[in-house]
Amino acid sequence: MNSNNFRNTSLAIRTLGWIACSYRPLKVHELLDGLSFNYSDTILTPETKIQKRILDLCRPLVEEGPRTTVNFVHFTAKDCERAAIIVKGFHGLQIYAYKFWYKHVLEYCRSLDQHHGQFSPELMAQLELLLRFSKIRDEASISGAAERAEAKVPGLEVLSHTPKVKRLISDVVNFHNQLDRECSLGISSEVEMSLKLCEADPTHFSTIRYQYLTACESLLENRNLERFPEINQKDLDNFRSGCSQSTFVCRYIHCVFSTDGFESASRREKHESQHQRRFRCAYFNCFSFELGFGSRSQLKKHNEQYH
């Protein structure tokens, strides 16, 4: 190894060390100044100052973030593998399926119950494949919970001979019903699409949706070729032309835009402000006090009309 390679390797290791051990994300100029100091160079001079191009030694492990900070790229080999599959157009039905698959199954079950039909063995085989995504695997709890859920989810009687499948669908229906109830009470929030939602879901479907959307949004960022060097530009262009208009879905699950989103994160944030309704009327006895408004202009219009 020549002296140049040795120096570059040493700088790359020190760069990763500074990023890993800092108490907050370092700004680029802070990191570069820190790298300039070592046991033999304790004074910062034009000769000892490190140039920004040194960060290229650590790519794609590090990236520049907001407000000129630098941090580790939050993508593992598994994330890159997932993105490489998604960018080729696979799993495009994911968002729709997450929201509506169980509703189609319920309609089918109710139709069978009404017309005394027989359950399709092909569909049953596919539903049994979904059992691997359930977080509850204990046989006794599956059977008992399925019996308790029968009254709560009408139409599933046709699945009584398959308690595992019945339990899976009951869990998913009850989970989404709970989200709808929280929405009606005004306690729904964008956290519904976060990892917290993934933990509350009795299946792994929310986690899969979260990972899929995270990968899609990352693929649409400007610096995605640095993050995913194994993905070629042609695949990225094809992905963008097909998905870029609706990838940034609303993070409020009950919203119609949670399955058909926006072309950018900024447009989504503007839309989501309508859900947050952070602007409240100053009069606590006003009919709109609890409800609030999505924007300052809406609050102003309300004040002009009623106060």
Side-chain angles (χ1 to χ4, degrees), residues 252-266:
Y252 290 77
I253 296 298
H254 63 277
C255 178
V256 294
F257 290 103
S258 67
T259 58
D260 187 14
F262 305 89
E263 68 271 20
S264 67
S266 59

Side-chain angles (χ1 to χ4, degrees), residues 29-259:
H29 66 269
E30 293 174 329
L31 175 61
L32 296 179
D33 278 2
L35 290 171
S36 299
F37 295 106
N38 57 52
Y39 66 91
S40 61
D41 292 316
T42 58
I43 300 176
L44 188 61
T45 68
E47 289 73 30
T48 60
K49 189 170 178 60
I50 301 296
Q51 300 302 310
K52 186 178 177 181
R53 61 177 177 271
I54 203 68
L55 296 180
D56 293 335
L57 296 174
C58 300
R59 300 189 196 280
L61 297 177
V62 302
E63 64 179 349
E64 292 180 55
R67 303 181 64 183
T68 71
T69 57
V70 59
N71 214 330
F72 289 112
V73 173
H74 298 295
F75 287 91
T76 63
K78 192 74 174 177
D79 294 323
C80 294
E81 180 183 347
R82 186 182 300 119
I85 296 173
I86 291 172
V87 77
K88 292 184 179 294
F90 294 100
H91 308 301
L93 192 60
Q94 161 60 225
I95 298 176
Y96 179 89
Y98 173 84
K99 182 77 172 180
F100 299 113
W101 77 270
Y102 66 93
K103 295 186 178 183
H104 286 289
V105 174
L106 280 177
E107 285 298 322
Y108 177 73
C109 289
R110 288 163 184 165
S111 175
L112 288 182
D113 188 51
Q114 184 179 354
H115 299 96
H116 307 288
Q118 295 294 316
F119 208 100
S120 162
E122 292 82 6
L123 177 58
M124 179 56 69
Q126 295 299 315
L127 291 176
E128 288 175 344
L129 289 176
L130 295 180
L131 291 173
R132 57 185 169 172
F133 297 104
S134 175
K135 294 179 182 176
I136 303 173
R137 300 300 179 92
D138 179 71
E139 194 77 31
S141 64
I142 287 174
S143 301
E147 293 174 4
R148 292 192 299 273
E150 184 172 341
K152 298 180 182 178
V153 185
L156 293 184
E157 292 79 9
V158 295
L159 295 174
S160 295
H161 63 291
T162 54
K164 289 183 179 181
V165 173
K166 184 178 181 181
R167 169 64 193 268
L168 172 70
I169 298 174
S170 297
D171 284 347
V172 172
V173 171
N174 290 328
F175 172 66
H176 283 275
N177 285 345
Q178 177 62 28
L179 293 181
D180 290 340
R181 283 192 293 272
E182 292 179 358
C183 167
S184 65
L185 295 173
I187 58 177
S188 177
S189 71
E190 72 271 19
V191 78
E192 288 178 356
M193 210 207 78
S194 72
L195 291 174
K196 207 167 188 179
L197 171 67
C198 301
E199 294 172 3
D201 192 339
T203 71
H204 295 290
F205 296 145
S206 291
T207 300
I208 295 170
R209 179 180 186 268
Y210 178 85
Q211 292 173 341
Y212 173 79
L213 288 172
T214 300
C216 287
E217 292 179 14
S218 299
L219 285 167
L220 293 176
E221 293 180 358
N222 293 329
R223 301 179 60 231
N224 43 34
L225 285 178
E226 293 181 8
R227 290 183 171 181
F228 310 112
E230 72 282 3
I231 295 176
N232 63 59
Q233 189 64 55
K234 182 180 178 181
D235 286 339
L236 272 175
D237 291 341
N238 290 336
F239 178 80
R240 282 177 168 172
S241 65
C243 303
S244 61
Q245 297 302 308
S246 58
T247 293
F248 294 88
V249 298
C250 178
R251 289 168 290 191
Y252 290 77
I253 296 298
H254 63 277
C255 178
V256 294
F257 290 103
S258 67
T259 58

